[in-house]
Amino acid sequence: MSIVRAVALVMMAGGATAFCPAPLAKFTQSVSQRISQATAARPLGPQFSLPLRTVALFGLGGEASASTEKSQYPIVGGEEIMSQKAHGTSEKPVQENLKWNCDIKVADKICNFNRHYAEFAGYWETTDFLNTVDKTKETTYYDSVTGKPLFIAPRGRSFEDFVRESKSHGWPSFRDEEVVWENVRCLKDGEAVSVDGTHLGHNLPDRSGNRYCINLVSVAGSPEK
């Protein structure tokens, strides 16, 4: 069975929202490996995966869907945001003391030397996040490189709803009203980035609208004084 046919069957079974990276980890890993071989892409290491980009390649991310095309979001940025700078696509490395015990080496590669790969599905659940985050109020998520606020969640839903959706898709998942648009942009292919060049993840719209699947290592920073 071809890759495209396999994905088509998944979509026929339940639509785009049924294509969840977490329960289909083995499938996405296989797809990622075959795509990497076909494009001669060099993997970043065993702690990385390609599910976010894989989904975008099959039309589940990238350009806004029909249900979201009339929205003022996402705010689209130009490719120049991710131009090469002093440290990859950023001016400096990630902060030394990232929140939730996030791996600094993984964070630096994903944030600054990467456009397509992601932390593996479910990585955020292996950190201290769920044990230490305040579940009674909104949490501000800061850029792991610059310390600028990028997301504030949950908004318009409960913390339980935020966690449920994030677990379903494999990565912390944010909605339009939870994005600090002053500091976040989406490129035409759906890549979510900070205005300073930090790779964050991808916009993978579903039937509820834009859904920003974000690497926890990209938003584990602290505000800089």
Side-chain angles (χ1 to χ4, degrees):
M1 180 184 295
S2 69
I3 300 175
V4 174
R5 179 171 174 76
V7 175
L9 291 175
V10 174
M11 294 176 66
M12 290 169 60
T17 54
F19 190 76
C20 302
L24 294 177
K26 292 183 179 179
F27 174 78
T28 54
Q29 288 174 2
S30 175
V31 173
S32 300
Q33 291 172 357
R34 294 176 66 178
I35 291 177
S36 295
Q37 292 171 358
T39 60
R42 296 182 61 186
L44 296 179
Q47 65 270 64
F48 297 88
S49 61
L50 189 56
L52 290 182
R53 190 59 172 172
T54 300
V55 175
L57 283 172
F58 288 116
L60 303 185
E63 300 290 345
S65 64
S67 63
T68 62
E69 62 183 4
K70 294 182 180 180
S71 172
Q72 62 179 314
Y73 301 115
I75 297 178
V76 178
E79 184 65 27
E80 67 276 2
I81 295 175
M82 300 301 284
S83 63
Q84 289 299 300
K85 305 179 183 69
H87 189 76
T89 56
S90 299
E91 292 293 349
K92 57 185 178 180
V94 297
Q95 298 176 354
E96 293 184 359
N97 297 310
L98 296 179
K99 293 180 180 178
W100 309 304
N101 199 31
C102 286
D103 189 295
I104 294 177
K105 290 183 178 180
V106 172
D108 198 53
K109 287 184 178 180
I110 287 181
C111 291
N112 300 320
F113 298 94
N114 162 62
R115 301 295 303 280
H116 310 304
Y117 288 81
E119 63 195 24
F120 63 80
Y123 170 83
W124 69 284
E125 294 184 70
T126 70
T127 69
D128 295 336
F129 176 79
L130 289 174
N131 294 325
T132 59
V133 68
D134 191 335
K135 302 175 178 62
T136 65
K137 63 180 182 180
E138 295 178 344
T139 295
T140 300
Y141 298 81
Y142 297 92
D143 191 319
S144 293
V145 177
T146 67
K148 291 182 179 180
L150 301 177
F151 301 93
I152 302 174
R155 279 189 170 175
R157 55 177 171 170
S158 67
F159 179 79
E160 289 72 23
D161 288 339
F162 168 74
V163 170
R164 186 180 303 111
E165 180 172 59
S166 297
K167 284 186 175 181
S168 174
H169 299 295
W171 292 268
S173 298
F174 301 92
R175 297 292 178 172
D176 287 336
E177 61 271 21
E178 297 172 326
V179 183
V180 181
W181 288 109
E182 178 183 351
N183 300 321
V184 176
R185 294 290 185 270
C186 275
L187 305 189
K188 289 184 178 180
D189 65 352
E191 182 183 6
V193 302
S194 79
V195 295
D196 297 293
T198 306
H199 173 83
L200 305 177
H202 284 83
N203 176 26
L204 305 177
D206 61 10
R207 291 170 181 152
S208 297
N210 292 312
R211 185 183 76 238
Y212 307 95
C213 292
I214 303 299
N215 295 288
L216 187 66
V217 297
S218 298
V219 294
S222 298
E224 294 190 342
K225 299 180 180 179

